[in-house]
Amino acid sequence: MNVLEKEAGVAELKTDLRNTWMTGDYGRFSRYMERDAEAFYRRLPIKPGAELLDVGCGAGQLSLIAARAGARVTGCDIATNWLGQARRSAAAEGLTISFDEGDAEALPYETASFDAVVSLIGAMFAPRPDLVAAEFTRICRPEGIIAMANWTGPGFVGQMFKTISKHIAPSGMPSSVLWGDEPTVRERLRSGVASIECSQHLYEFSYPFPPADVVEFFRANYGPMTRAFSSIGEEAQKKLRGELVDLWCRHNRAPDGTTRVDAEYLQVVAVRDQS
């Protein structure tokens, strides 16, 4: 494959990813994930007044949390429809947050622009992880913080992705859950970073309806699942739905007809070196 063909392939993949993440209703989807998003942010060593970039901000969930805590926040995402939703949410709360269209692999900011570069289940889905790592390091100020929360492969979401992948054509991208593997993360962030701390945590998916309805909720509102179902035939859809309902039922901790499932993620907190 020559350079032009490779560039065309990447451009096509980017367009497909953007369309995927603009599908569904991510604002509605993320409302059920507020509590543990706040728990993630509270653990980060970010002081009020810090200049913070939220990469893959979606409808602004983490950006709003950080702004409420006193950070000076910029959010960016490739899905422009959710940026509009994020702006409206910030305005409704009287919060001053800048929301920009931005690609985690080529961030539209000057070098050393932010005290903290943070991504909650966002940048892990970019197709070229080495570029993500380089960009996070580039725009983070010396001794600043790079923080991520990434689903792990063995955890519940990793198993859900594995179930879906059996029914759809491979994307050609590295597995997104490799960002949830500590040795891989340390290798990707080895340049320009003074220290890295990794720890595993559980993110609770809690819904006031049963697992079968949770699958339908994901199908309607979570772009990757919406696109996965739409890319396969009716019989394959039935089979995939059955497998997903079974997965949610097997992991459900709620005894009362609702749903509570714990999903493991890797928290990464790196300190930029002084160079």
Side-chain angles (χ1 to χ4, degrees), residues 25-271:
D25 186 340
Y26 199 80
R28 185 181 180 209
F29 176 79
S30 64
R31 284 181 209 138
Y32 290 91
M33 302 176 69
E34 187 80 10
R35 189 191 68 179
D36 284 338
E38 291 180 350
F40 165 70
Y41 188 78
R42 285 197 301 270
R43 288 193 297 267
L44 302 181
I46 298 173
K47 298 178 181 179
E51 294 274 3
L52 181 145
L53 177 65
D54 177 11
V55 182
C57 66
Q61 181 183 57
L62 190 71
S63 294
L64 296 169
I65 291 168
R68 292 180 200 127
R72 292 180 290 175
V73 181
T74 300
C76 69
D77 203 287
I78 60 172
T80 53
N81 53 342
W82 307 137
L83 295 175
Q85 195 174 110
R87 293 185 188 107
R88 291 190 293 273
S89 296
E93 293 193 38
L95 297 171
T96 301
I97 305 174
S98 297
F99 289 105
D100 306 318
E101 182 177 359
D103 182 342
E105 297 180 356
L107 292 163
Y109 307 106
E110 297 294 327
T111 296
S113 292
F114 297 94
D115 302 306
V117 182
V118 183
S119 185
L120 172 64
I121 317 298
M124 65 176 290
F125 295 106
R128 294 176 291 182
D130 290 345
L131 294 183
V132 172
E135 281 293 271
F136 277 30
T137 303
R138 179 185 68 80
I139 64 169
C140 186
R141 290 174 180 147
E143 299 184 297
I145 298 296
I146 297 170
M148 302 179 76
N150 304 316
W151 301 126
T152 67
F156 177 78
V157 174
Q159 294 306 301
M160 186 169 64
F161 289 161
K162 186 176 180 180
T163 299
I164 294 170
S165 70
K166 293 187 300 181
H167 296 268
I168 60 175
S171 66
M173 293 168 45
S175 173
S176 59
V177 295
L178 285 173
W179 274 114
D181 176 69
E182 182 174 345
T184 300
V185 170
R186 290 185 177 277
E187 174 64 20
R188 288 173 176 174
L189 293 174
R190 69 188 183 281
S191 299
V193 167
S195 65
I196 302 177
E197 292 185 6
C198 296
S199 54
Q200 291 180 338
H201 301 272
L202 294 177
Y203 209 123
E204 184 183 78
F205 287 113
S206 180
Y207 302 95
F209 36 81
D213 290 346
V214 173
V215 172
E216 292 305 312
F217 177 82
F218 268 67
R219 183 174 178 174
N221 297 291
Y222 185 55
M225 191 172 290
T226 306
R227 292 291 296 273
F229 270 95
S230 67
S231 70
I232 57 180
E234 185 175 345
E235 287 303 313
Q237 288 183 26
K238 291 179 181 178
K239 185 174 181 181
L240 174 57
R241 183 184 183 279
E243 291 176 3
L244 289 171
V245 170
D246 178 67
L247 181 70
W248 279 92
C249 286
R250 284 188 285 108
H251 287 82
N252 186 20
R253 297 188 293 105
D256 58 357
T258 63
T259 305
R260 289 201 310 273
V261 168
D262 290 327
E264 182 184 72
Y265 68 93
L266 184 73
Q267 176 181 293
V268 180
V269 181
V271 177

